[in-house]
């Protein structure tokens, strides 16, 4: 597609429910990233993929968070047993390849509110 | 660890120049970036600079890099009301081989008509 596409744009869920956030990267982009952004803060790295391989998941806050990219294109970030502190904007990004110098393009994000 | 710091707020008058400052800690950073965030929109990549450069100009935008002081700035000439947004400075974290960005907390630019 023309840009990084994320869905849903807005999600309100009850505490304890599972949520799945979807990211469709720019066509042909090898690397895909997930970031989380709290209000008034900059984005914080969660995890990234090169093709279908999850290369770094050091930013995932705990084992309730997981991500997959089974065919090296679309990715899903799943949060199990959501808590209020999970409320944030979740941003997906993609680039041609990993590493410095490869411009990283962000989607519009998915706003998650846990009530 | 890696850290990026920015001033939180800047207010200028339309037509003036804006200068947004950023400091970073990772001396091995190879690329540094400026992103713009408008309400309800994604993060838009404005420009980036390679660490072996000390200046990059792109139309109304000028990026200055002082590698010795680990200081990065973004100058916007002839600032317009449409430039009102949050501006994020970011560096490539770690070895530079992951594409993992470390962001500052963002500077809100307010442009008064």
């Amino acid at each position: 597609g023309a840009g990084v596409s994320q869905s849903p744009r807005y999600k309100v869920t009850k505490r304890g429910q599972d949520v799945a956030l979807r990211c469709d990267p720019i066509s042909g982009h090898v690397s895909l990233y997930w970031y989380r952004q709290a209000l008034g803060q900059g984005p914080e790295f969660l995890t990234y993929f090169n093709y279908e391989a999850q290369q770094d998941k050091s930013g995932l806050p705990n084992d309730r968070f997981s991500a997959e990219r089974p065919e090296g294109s679309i990715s899903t970030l799943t949060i199990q047993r959501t808590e209020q502190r999970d409320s944030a904007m979740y941003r997906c990004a993609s680039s041609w390849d990993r590493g410095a110098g490869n411009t990283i393009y962000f989607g519009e994000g998915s706003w998650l509110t846990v009530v | 660890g890696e850290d990026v710091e920015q001033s939180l707020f800047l207010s200028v008058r339309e037509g003036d120049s804006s200068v947004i400052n950023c400091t970073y800690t990772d001396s091995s950073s190879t690329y540094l970036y400026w992103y713009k965030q408008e309400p309800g929109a994604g993060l838009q990549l404005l420009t980036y600079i390679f660490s072996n450069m000390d200046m990059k100009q792109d139309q109304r935008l000028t990026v200055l890099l002082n590698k010795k002081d680990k200081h990065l700035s973004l100058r916007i000439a002839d600032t317009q009301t449409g430039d009102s947004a949050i501006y994020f400075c970011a560096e490539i974290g770690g070895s530079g081989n992951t594409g993992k960005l470390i962001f500052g907390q963002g500077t809100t630019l307010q442009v008064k008509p």
Side-chain angles (χ1 to χ4, degrees):
Chain A
V4 178
S5 177
Q6 292 187 246
S7 62
R9 291 290 314 279
Y10 303 94
K11 176 72 176 178
V12 180
T13 190
K14 289 186 178 178
R15 191 173 46 188
Q17 297 293 307
D18 297 351
V19 297
L21 306 176
R22 174 189 162 115
C23 173
D24 193 351
I26 293 172
S27 179
H29 276 193
V30 166
S31 295
L32 182 146
Y33 312 84
W34 284 100
Y35 285 78
R36 178 168 71 172
Q37 185 176 8
L39 275 175
Q41 300 294 319
E44 290 184 324
F45 172 82
L46 294 177
T47 185
Y48 104 94
F49 293 82
N50 221 36
Y51 297 100
E52 72 282 358
Q54 190 171 20
Q55 299 283 341
D56 185 343
K57 54 182 181 179
S58 62
L60 295 177
N62 52 59
D63 61 8
R64 294 187 297 107
F65 288 72
S66 63
E68 63 174 9
R69 193 186 186 199
E71 296 177 1
S73 179
I74 292 169
S75 175
T76 303
L77 177 70
T78 302
I79 309 171
Q80 295 179 309
R81 305 181 302 281
T82 51
E83 301 177 6
Q84 285 186 320
R85 60 179 171 154
D86 299 333
S87 296
M89 165 76 83
Y90 289 83
R91 294 194 183 274
C92 178
S94 69
S95 64
W96 287 111
D97 199 353
R98 65 182 181 181
N102 285 286
T103 49
I104 298 170
Y105 298 92
F106 283 81
E108 293 185 341
S110 292
W111 265 114
L112 174 66
T113 303
V114 182
V115 297
Chain B
E2 301 137 342
D3 194 21
V4 178
E5 296 283 339
Q6 298 178 241
S7 52
L8 294 182
F9 186 77
L10 176 66
S11 180
V12 300
R13 293 231 172 255
E14 193 173 18
D16 288 350
S17 291
S18 307
V19 179
I20 301 171
N21 294 300
C22 169
T23 57
Y24 60 97
T25 57
D26 187 357
S27 57
S28 65
S29 286
T30 51
Y31 283 84
L32 295 125
Y33 301 81
W34 285 103
Y35 281 84
K36 177 182 180 182
Q37 179 180 309
E38 294 178 276
L43 280 172
Q44 175 194 353
L45 176 64
L46 283 179
T47 187
Y48 63 93
I49 188 167
F50 187 49
S51 59
N52 70 353
M53 300 168 66
D54 50 23
M55 186 181 88
K56 179 178 180 182
Q57 189 152 1
D58 184 1
Q59 299 182 342
R60 292 190 298 123
L61 304 179
T62 302
V63 179
L64 294 178
L65 175 61
N66 181 330
K67 199 172 178 184
K68 173 176 169 289
D69 294 338
K70 297 181 197 152
H71 182 267
L72 181 75
S73 68
L74 174 70
R75 178 177 180 270
I76 306 172
D78 186 26
T79 314
Q80 303 297 306
T81 54
D83 295 323
S84 293
I86 303 174
Y87 290 80
F88 291 96
C89 167
E91 64 171 348
I92 285 280
S95 65
N97 200 31
T98 65
K100 171 181 168 181
L101 293 173
I102 309 297
F103 284 86
Q105 66 269 51
T107 300
T108 299
L109 175 64
Q110 179 189 66
V111 182
K112 296 178 181 176

